[in-house]
Amino acid sequence: MIRNYERYTIFALILLAALLALAGAVLFSPWLWLAAALFLPLSALGVRDLIQRRHAILRNYPVIGHIRFLAENFRPEIRQYMFEGDQDELPFSRQARALVYQRAKGVEDKRPFGTIENVYGSGYSWLTHSATPVHNADSDFRVTIGGSACRQPYSASLYNISAMSFGALSGNAILTLNKGARKGGFAHDTGEGGISRYHRQGGGDLVFQIASGYFGCRNPDGSFSRERFAELSADPQIKMIEIKLSQGAKPGHGGMLPASKISAEIAEARGIPMGIDCISPPAHSTFSTPVGLMEFVGELRALSQGKPVGFKLCIGHRREFLSMIKAMLKTGILPDFIVIDGAEGGTGAAPVEFANRVGMPMLEGLTFVHNALRGAGLRDEIRLGAAGKIISAYDIARALALGADWCNSGRGFMFAIGCIQAQACHTNKCPVGIATQDPVRQRAVDVGDKSDRVARFHRNTMHALGEIAGAAGLADPSDFMPYHFMFRQTTGFRDGNEVYPYLPRGFLLADEEIPGLEDWYDRWERATPDSFAPPEIPFGPFASRRKRRA
């Protein structure tokens, strides 16, 4: 019977110690008040644990049950600093983070003794090098973005800062990133939260992102304001306009910024009132069809006096993207660029199911979009950006080989200004002052020093990109092709041309179908420029072209 109550032993001893200390302090020595000051609060805590109803473990183990919660709170830090290996932790390993830190600080970024990668493990990939490497002295690699309808094309770096909003990041973090972009000569995507005073103060090139909330260019009812957009987009600091259809971390998911978190600065940037919850709908209200999307692209290009206009998305239903292509062909309106975000992309906060199980990973999404545009004969008219855990020169080179014209990174540049992957972005308690609106915490970000690190990280990464391009015998990283890479699978290794092939130009429009591409033709047949909705299938599951012909 006594054994059933052993779990209360520590609490009982604390109570006894408190009583003895209290009695001793009154009867014998005032020094015992120190012991009473320790044990009386612990006794009160134990009583509270016994009567509270929220935590079962505290009701059964008063006082000592808190050790469990304390250990849980410190578990990520203990694991990160004491137990994890160089390749263990996700989303980014210590090896990956260390590479960014070293390049941002300008310290040695070399590794001695050999690779720690499992070069014989499934999923390992590598770059094939040339017997006649070249030396690339200039690493300022750029791409011109802007099609035939664009009057103000933009010369962009091959590596830029991905979309991260003011509100998700602190004012000091935004200012630091933008100043770093100005110093390094590359672009900074505003994210959907609008253009803040910190973006303007930094003076760096901006990609103005417009999402379903139309922050910065909206009417009081939340609809898109053409007048406000025209006024805003005339700013020469804004180089491109990006319509956000979805993001990799939570595609198809809207959001709400509670009124309690809306500061005067956030309200100013977004063009919203204070004291009212701010809603970001899952879908746009300005258009609802593929043709409507292209018409919106054309309208924004006209309102911005011919600046490059494109859209960003994480691939979901592939048929829907083919519907967009058909809308391009029908209207004759082409986006100047498309950014493909991968499901591995990051965000300040996302439901676990969305972060883990919704959306197509970047490599597959990029390959699909690249080949879909090739199949429709539009690839040469539209530039492609890629985003999703791209932090090293190898990551950039691989994306370029699979069809990207340039790459974006969010978390890479966050590491450059001091992010330690504490994964506390949604708590407003970021330990390094980056993902918080706490004015005291964000003081930790020294704008001068950290903006230098942003520019230095970009410069050193571009230098490394030039080196590996030279190792492959290329004078420009834009010349990377799939065959420059090998991919190990469970059955051996395969050439990149086999794993991520470039499909023939115009194959979707050709009179004769190419064997082996039946699934492509199936989706193309079902896509329509006038609706994102799937066609009606009256008799059960869709029978593919291959099955219908059998």
Side-chain angles (χ1 to χ4, degrees):
M1 183 67 176
I2 294 177
R3 293 182 62 85
N4 291 335
Y5 296 96
E6 284 182 349
R7 60 185 180 273
Y8 298 115
T9 302
I10 299 297
F11 177 48
L13 291 174
I14 289 173
L15 280 175
L16 180 60
L19 292 173
L20 291 175
L22 188 61
V26 173
L27 299 175
F28 300 108
S29 172
W31 287 102
L32 290 175
W33 282 113
L34 296 175
L38 171 65
F39 290 110
L40 284 173
L42 288 175
S43 300
L45 177 64
V47 173
R48 176 185 173 277
D49 291 342
L50 284 173
I51 63 176
Q52 59 84 36
R53 298 179 179 274
R54 186 176 180 183
H55 299 292
I57 194 168
L58 296 181
R59 286 171 69 88
N60 273 335
Y61 298 90
V63 183
I64 60 172
H66 288 276
I67 296 175
R68 181 260 185 192
F69 296 101
L70 186 65
E72 188 177 62
N73 286 338
F74 284 102
R75 177 184 179 276
E77 288 81 6
I78 293 173
R79 183 177 185 273
Q80 182 181 39
Y81 295 119
M82 298 181 65
F83 299 110
E84 74 168 28
D86 282 352
Q87 294 178 295
D88 286 348
E89 189 170 350
L90 295 175
F92 291 89
S93 68
R94 175 175 290 276
Q95 177 180 236
R97 300 196 311 274
L99 178 67
V100 178
Y101 298 149
Q102 290 160 354
R103 286 182 173 165
K105 295 176 183 178
V107 300
E108 185 69 52
D109 63 351
K110 307 301 187 290
R111 171 176 285 278
F113 214 72
T115 181
I116 60 173
E117 299 280 351
N118 180 8
V119 299
Y120 295 104
S122 179
Y124 177 75
S125 64
W126 66 94
L127 173 73
T128 60
H129 63 279
S130 172
T132 55
V134 300
H135 173 65
N136 293 315
D138 183 7
S139 57
D140 184 24
F141 305 113
R142 308 192 81 82
V143 59
T144 300
I145 303 172
S148 56
C150 174
R151 286 180 284 152
Q152 299 187 55
Y154 176 58
S155 178
S157 170
L158 295 192
Y159 195 43
N160 303 283
I161 302 174
S162 194
M164 295 181 287
S165 299
F166 169 58
L169 300 192
S170 68
N172 268 11
I174 292 293
L175 177 57
T176 298
L177 291 170
N178 197 257
K179 277 196 170 184
R182 178 175 56 79
K183 293 175 181 178
F186 53 98
H188 179 195
D189 194 313
T190 65
E192 67 177 279
I195 302 175
S196 70
R197 63 183 68 177
Y198 302 102
H199 290 100
R200 298 187 187 282
Q201 185 180 345
D205 291 351
L206 293 176
V207 179
F208 177 34
Q209 187 183 91
I210 302 174
S212 57
Y214 305 113
F215 300 125
C217 55
R218 58 187 261 144
N219 293 310
D221 63 356
S223 61
F224 176 65
S225 170
R226 289 159 179 80
E227 295 76 16
R228 179 67 183 124
F229 173 79
E231 176 187 350
L232 191 65
S233 62
D235 186 340
Q237 191 180 356
I238 298 175
K239 303 301 183 182
M240 301 201 299
I241 316 297
E242 179 184 85
I243 304 166
K244 190 188 94 167
L245 301 181
S246 59
Q247 67 182 95
K250 47 182 178 182
H253 190 275
M256 182 188 73
L257 184 64
S260 60
K261 293 187 177 182
I262 301 175
S263 66
E265 291 178 330
I266 292 175
E268 175 188 56
R270 298 194 177 202
I272 58 175
M274 296 183 65
I276 301 175
D277 293 340
C278 177
I279 305 297
S280 296
H284 282 259
S285 60
T286 306
F287 58 87
S288 59
T289 66
V291 165
L293 170 59
M294 296 311 136
E295 291 174 343
F296 190 47
V297 167
E299 182 178 22
L300 294 183
R301 189 184 290 128
L303 289 171
S304 65
Q305 303 301 312
K307 291 185 177 181
V309 178
F311 56 86
K312 167 186 171 179
L313 81 168
C314 176
I315 295 298
H317 296 310
R318 286 168 285 178
R319 171 192 48 77
E320 291 185 348
F321 185 77
L322 295 180
S323 294
M324 298 178 199
I325 292 180
K326 283 193 171 181
M328 297 176 199
L329 296 173
K330 180 177 179 178
T331 62
I333 301 172
L334 305 182
D336 295 293
F337 65 91
I338 300 171
V339 176
I340 299 92
D341 201 9
E344 64 269 47
T347 187
V352 173
E353 294 86 353
F354 279 80
N356 289 346
R357 301 296 177 182
V358 181
M360 185 178 290
M362 185 270 290
L363 296 182
E364 286 73 20
L366 172 61
T367 301
F368 168 75
V369 170
H370 173 65
N371 280 322
L373 292 172
R374 284 175 63 88
L378 300 176
R379 180 62 186 90
D380 292 339
E381 302 294 322
I382 301 171
R383 298 296 189 187
L384 296 184
K389 294 185 72 173
I390 299 176
I391 63 170
S392 72
Y394 180 83
D395 298 333
I396 299 171
R398 182 177 57 184
L400 296 176
L402 301 191
D405 292 300
W406 87 91
C407 296
N408 294 333
S409 176
R411 288 170 291 180
F413 285 99
M414 286 178 66
F415 290 140
I417 63 174
C419 172
I420 61 171
Q421 195 168 271
Q423 301 185 56
C425 310
H426 61 299
T427 66
N428 203 38
K429 296 180 180 179
C430 174
V432 293
I434 296 174
T436 179
Q437 294 304 304
D438 184 326
V440 177
R441 287 179 178 270
Q442 65 178 285
R443 287 182 63 254
V445 181
D446 183 281
V447 176
D449 175 63
K450 301 298 186 183
S451 61
D452 286 341
R453 293 191 183 191
V454 169
R456 194 180 297 118
F457 167 60
H458 177 271
R459 182 174 63 251
N460 288 336
T461 302
M462 288 295 94
H463 177 73
L465 180 62
E467 287 188 321
I468 64 172
L474 304 176
D476 194 297
S478 296
D479 295 329
F480 274 118
M481 295 291 287
Y483 69 80
H484 288 111
F485 294 82
M486 304 294 286
F487 298 85
R488 185 176 296 284
Q489 300 180 333
T490 53
T491 55
F493 61 86
R494 298 174 65 192
D495 185 285
N497 277 344
E498 298 177 86
V499 183
Y500 298 105
Y502 281 21
L503 299 184
R505 294 179 182 274
F507 75 92
L508 291 173
L509 306 179
D511 293 331
E512 293 187 10
E513 297 181 3
I514 300 174
L517 300 181
E518 289 84 2
D519 287 345
W520 279 91
Y521 295 121
D522 284 339
R523 290 189 176 85
W524 183 252
E525 182 180 274
R526 287 182 284 141
T528 172
D530 301 311
S531 176
F532 286 113
E536 183 179 356
I537 304 173
F539 302 110
F542 178 77
S544 71
R545 184 181 299 254
R546 187 181 303 168
K547 291 180 180 178
R548 293 200 302 270
R549 290 182 174 180

